Amino acid sequence: MKNLSRSHLLFALVALLAGGCATSSFGHRSENCDPDQRLEQLLDAYESGRNGGINSSGNLLADCQRARNAIERLALEFPAHAPTLLAAGQLAYENGEREKAQNYVDQIFRLQPIYPAAGVLRAQIATDEGNVPLARRVLETQIQYTPDHALLRESHAKVLFLSGDLSGAASAVDAAEALGAPAWRVAFHRGLIAEKAGRAAEARAQYQACIDANPSYAAAKSRLSGMNAQGG
């Protein structure tokens, strides 16, 4: 099953963060800012750098690497602040530094063994390395403690799919949908399952539903175009 968009995953994982901080310099230490506030500002700066340099306020030119460096400095300053460790780990993963990403995740689990978002990232790293059984164990452990986490359920669907358990994957997608997973991702997962099971018409319908809900999602367009080219 295809990976989630890396940028989407980053901001899904750190969606727990609170309101912004009123300083505009990278890594500037303010006695009035807690790490949650400072991290949100830096994530906003990172995203703005990818979107042409303008942040959500419309007035901050930003640089992705500077923002990432500042997040890593924040992780050093607050080594027990799991959201910062998670953000640093996800950015390391986005930049192809899997070992570094795993180190951040391991640090989180030493602090908090129950941390669903870290489980999602750890499972992604394991999957990329071909260790699907480890990814499954990590996710199922986290699900035992946090069964209402939609992204955990989506990730579980992926590893079950890769394990060849299509029925289990479909059930995990159903659970993710019930817990609020975006409709376009649910449709894409169902399209992959249907395609793998040989239900071509259903797969096409699901891919089209994904595209209708999210016209920019290239993976669904690719799957649908490939199926249409093959016919049948």
Side-chain angles (χ1 to χ4, degrees):
M1 193 170 285
K2 287 276 189 180
N3 296 349
L4 297 177
S5 159
R6 287 183 172 183
S7 60
H8 186 281
L9 182 58
L10 168 63
F11 291 97
L13 293 181
V14 297
L16 69 158
L17 300 179
C21 170
T23 178
S24 61
S25 59
F26 289 104
H28 174 71
R29 182 168 183 171
S30 168
E31 296 303 322
N32 296 322
C33 289
D34 67 23
D36 285 328
Q37 293 174 318
R38 290 166 63 186
L39 177 58
E40 186 182 23
Q41 182 204 21
L42 291 170
L43 288 171
D44 182 55
Y46 183 86
E47 182 69 357
S48 73
R50 294 197 302 194
N51 293 331
I54 304 299
N55 74 353
S56 58
S57 301
N59 59 9
L60 175 64
L61 292 176
D63 177 273
C64 290
Q65 188 58 49
R66 288 177 64 205
R68 181 188 170 193
N69 291 344
I71 289 170
E72 292 188 345
R73 288 195 298 273
L74 190 64
L76 291 173
E77 185 179 345
F78 294 95
H81 188 244
T84 298
L85 297 173
L86 178 65
Q90 182 62 35
L91 291 175
Y93 175 76
E94 283 193 15
N95 285 274
E97 301 171 22
R98 285 202 300 256
E99 184 175 353
K100 188 173 187 178
Q102 183 175 327
N103 288 338
Y104 280 116
V105 172
D106 290 344
Q107 189 173 344
I108 292 171
F109 283 141
R110 284 193 292 270
L111 296 165
Q112 297 178 227
I114 304 170
Y115 204 98
V120 170
L121 179 54
R122 182 66 187 93
Q124 184 63 65
I125 294 167
T127 300
D128 288 352
E129 294 173 343
N131 196 344
V132 175
L134 173 60
R136 184 169 179 171
R137 288 196 301 273
V138 168
L139 292 169
E140 290 177 353
T141 296
Q142 294 296 315
I143 287 170
Q144 286 180 7
Y145 294 107
T146 316
D148 62 345
H149 195 281
L151 197 55
L152 270 179
R153 297 290 188 164
E154 281 190 75
S155 299
H156 193 216
K158 173 184 173 179
V159 299
L160 290 172
F161 177 88
L162 293 174
S163 300
D165 183 358
L166 300 186
S167 176
S171 295
V173 171
D174 290 344
E177 180 181 39
L179 293 168
W184 64 272
R185 291 210 309 260
V186 168
F188 184 70
H189 294 321
R190 286 178 173 153
L192 290 171
I193 293 167
E195 184 180 358
K196 185 70 172 180
R199 303 192 300 269
E202 179 184 344
R204 287 191 180 93
Q206 291 292 345
Y207 291 143
Q208 187 59 57
C210 175
I211 294 165
D212 291 343
N214 183 0
S216 67
Y217 194 53
K221 294 178 181 178
S222 176
R223 301 301 309 178
L224 183 57
S225 295
M227 290 191 72
N228 288 337
Q230 281 185 289

